[in-house]
Amino acid sequence: VPRPPRGTVMAATQQPYLPAGCRLVAQLAYPSVLRLPSRPPFVVRLPEVAEALSEAALREHFASLGAVSCQTFQVQGSRKGVVGFKTFEDTIRAVARPQDRIVAGHEVELEIGDFSENGDESPVAGGVGPPPIGECLPRLRRMRRCLRTVGLDHLLTREQDGWLARRVWQDVLSLEEQQRLCLARILYHQPSFCLLDDATSAIPAAVESKLHQSLKDWDVTPIALSRRARLGEVYGRELQLAEGGACEWKLQADADA
């Protein structure tokens, strides 16, 4: 049976799969395979630049990172920017730690690659929506929003190499953090449906329901198998199966879910 397309359904289990030796950015993108640009031009773009932030301040900030050019411009009433680098290493260093991109009190968000002719939502530009199948550049702003939604932004900010941190994540992260990371991965790809096989069992009860609700808030329809009874408030239908040898079941609907 062919596997359904990633945009239709994704699955998560109690013990998430974390590919060995992958960088943090690749863990979020999985099962997509990223290919960062290793040939010039080496460019990062600034999708949104505060009007109060001067181009001179931006130029000074990025020059310290090896930038050779920096310019801002207006596109349909929105201020954007492009920064050019001489080497691949300088480019990656600029985007690796977003918490370090504070310029004159303003957080400057970066994406890898130049703006495309088709706008910020195109595959080349790497927009804020879910990545289309085949896109090889990460959508860093979306990734960070996903981490924040599941309560894992500290995972990015505590790593010296930021997005480029390479760890044996199964050893570094608790089971709770692994499960949260898997939920962030689902949010990043935003399929129509997700199948959760006891996928939040290690997450405290106080936030478990909120994370399931977050999936619905992101227009993902969750179908969950759980040994906990408190998730019924999130779901419109609940099938309860009796434990042991008794073949008993009960289907109930929640009109408010």
Side-chain angles (χ1 to χ4, degrees):
V1 178
R3 178 178 297 181
R6 189 162 56 249
T8 301
V9 62
M10 290 181 67
T13 61
Q14 185 179 41
Q15 180 60 64
Y17 174 65
L18 303 180
C22 281
R23 300 184 189 275
L24 178 58
V25 65
Q27 291 291 351
L28 263 293
Y30 181 83
S32 293
V33 178
L34 300 179
R35 294 182 179 86
L36 301 181
S38 58
R39 298 180 179 179
F42 300 117
V43 176
V44 299
R45 67 189 181 283
L46 288 61
E48 298 179 15
V49 181
E51 293 294 339
L53 188 54
S54 70
E55 187 170 300
L58 285 170
R59 190 177 296 112
E60 179 181 0
H61 176 82
F62 287 106
S64 65
L65 298 173
V68 295
S69 64
C70 178
Q71 60 176 329
T72 61
F73 45 87
Q74 293 285 338
V75 177
Q76 299 179 347
S78 177
R79 190 179 181 214
K80 303 178 183 294
V82 173
V83 181
F85 293 87
K86 187 175 182 179
T87 68
F88 170 75
E89 290 74 17
D90 288 341
T91 307
I92 298 304
R93 183 160 59 96
V95 301
R97 290 174 52 84
Q99 65 271 28
D100 292 344
R101 303 285 77 82
I102 306 297
V103 184
H106 297 273
E107 181 178 359
V108 179
E109 294 184 311
L110 304 178
E111 295 282 6
I112 301 172
D114 204 346
F115 291 97
S116 75
E117 296 179 356
N118 299 321
D120 192 40
E121 289 300 321
S122 71
V124 175
V128 295
I133 295 177
E135 180 172 276
C136 59
L137 291 178
R139 300 188 170 202
L140 298 177
R141 289 179 298 160
R142 181 178 179 85
M143 284 186 171
R144 191 167 192 193
R145 181 185 169 206
C146 293
L147 287 182
R148 285 170 169 165
T149 299
V150 302
L152 276 186
D153 192 53
H154 66 276
L155 182 58
L156 170 65
T157 58
R158 78 186 183 189
E159 291 291 339
Q160 182 64 33
D161 293 329
W163 288 121
L164 303 182
R166 192 192 298 273
R167 299 272 194 168
V168 181
W169 297 105
Q170 294 92 332
D171 297 339
V172 174
L173 303 180
S174 66
L175 180 58
E176 177 190 343
E177 289 175 318
Q178 293 180 45
Q179 291 183 349
R180 287 176 184 256
L181 182 59
C182 192
L183 291 180
R185 185 187 289 164
I186 292 174
L187 294 178
Y188 178 68
H189 290 287
Q190 197 178 331
S192 299
F193 301 91
C194 69
L195 306 178
L196 307 176
D197 184 1
D198 220 15
T200 54
S201 59
I203 297 175
V207 296
E208 185 182 23
S209 293
K210 294 180 181 179
L211 291 178
H212 281 250
Q213 182 61 48
S214 295
L215 293 167
K216 300 176 69 174
D217 294 342
W218 284 57
D219 295 325
V220 178
T221 300
I223 302 172
L225 172 64
S226 176
R227 293 178 176 84
R228 295 174 174 177
R230 57 178 166 269
L231 293 177
E233 61 193 55
V234 180
Y235 292 87
R237 298 289 188 274
E238 181 179 6
L239 177 63
Q240 297 180 354
L241 303 177
E243 296 183 1
C247 298
E248 299 179 2
W249 59 272
K250 180 174 65 174
L251 178 65
Q252 62 182 33
D254 187 343
D256 297 329

